[in-house]
Amino acid sequence: MTTDPRIRQLAESRYRNGYGATAEDAWDTLDPVLRQRLIDEAAAWLRAAVEAGLMPTAERPTGKHDAILLDSYGQIWGEYQTSPPSHGDAILRLVWASEQCSSKQEIEAEGVEFRLIGWSE
């Protein structure tokens, strides 16, 4: 998990939000000991979130799995498998289908668990 880019994102956010860092406080010039401590802390929290099922792994579980992405505007995208393979570059914007609606409570009653992955506009 050390190559997971989310670790650095979490560590930098923790530095900005937990240490009162400003835009002038560059991550790359941070004391190496503190930077490594923040990275280790972020890696531990991300690992816990993955194990708890709150976050997906960064690695594709199998070749049959397609990524579901949430962009910075809250739009949801899904990988589109092409032939030959696009290696994750071909994506489709997923849109709400209003033709059919299901009861979340009924589905949960059947044992399905839902996970909040973001917010869409």
Side-chain angles (χ1 to χ4, degrees), residues 76-109:
I76 302 170
W77 298 79
E79 282 184 331
Y80 181 74
Q81 295 298 326
T82 60
S83 183
S86 66
H87 304 289
D89 187 50
I91 60 173
L92 292 171
R93 181 163 171 241
L94 304 179
V95 296
W96 303 114
S98 60
E99 293 81 24
Q100 183 177 351
C101 181
S102 300
S103 166
K104 182 178 174 227
Q105 291 179 352
E106 288 177 10
I107 294 171
E108 288 173 329

Side-chain angles (χ1 to χ4, degrees), residues 1-2 7 9-10 15 22 32 40-41 58 65 69 77-78 81 87 91 93 100 103 108:
M1 192 183 293
T2 56
I7 293 173
Q9 291 171 324
L10 284 169
Y15 175 56
T22 64
D40 293 344
E41 179 182 297
H65 283 82
L69 309 165
W77 298 79
Q81 295 298 326
H87 304 289
I91 60 173
R93 181 163 171 241
Q100 183 177 351
S103 166
E108 288 173 329

Side-chain angles (χ1 to χ4, degrees), residues 11-38:
E12 288 182 16
S13 180
R14 172 76 171 106
Y15 175 56
R16 284 191 311 275
N17 296 312
Y19 288 80
T22 64
E24 295 82 38
D25 297 323
W27 172 260
D28 294 330
T29 61
L30 186 62
D31 174 62
V33 173
L34 176 58
R35 186 171 52 235
Q36 188 59 51
R37 189 173 78 219
L38 291 168

Side-chain angles (χ1 to χ4, degrees), residues 1 6 10 42-56 115:
M1 192 183 293
R6 299 174 298 178
L10 284 169
W45 278 108
L46 182 58
R47 188 171 39 258
V50 168
E51 290 173 5
L54 300 173
M55 296 285 294
R115 176 179 30 215

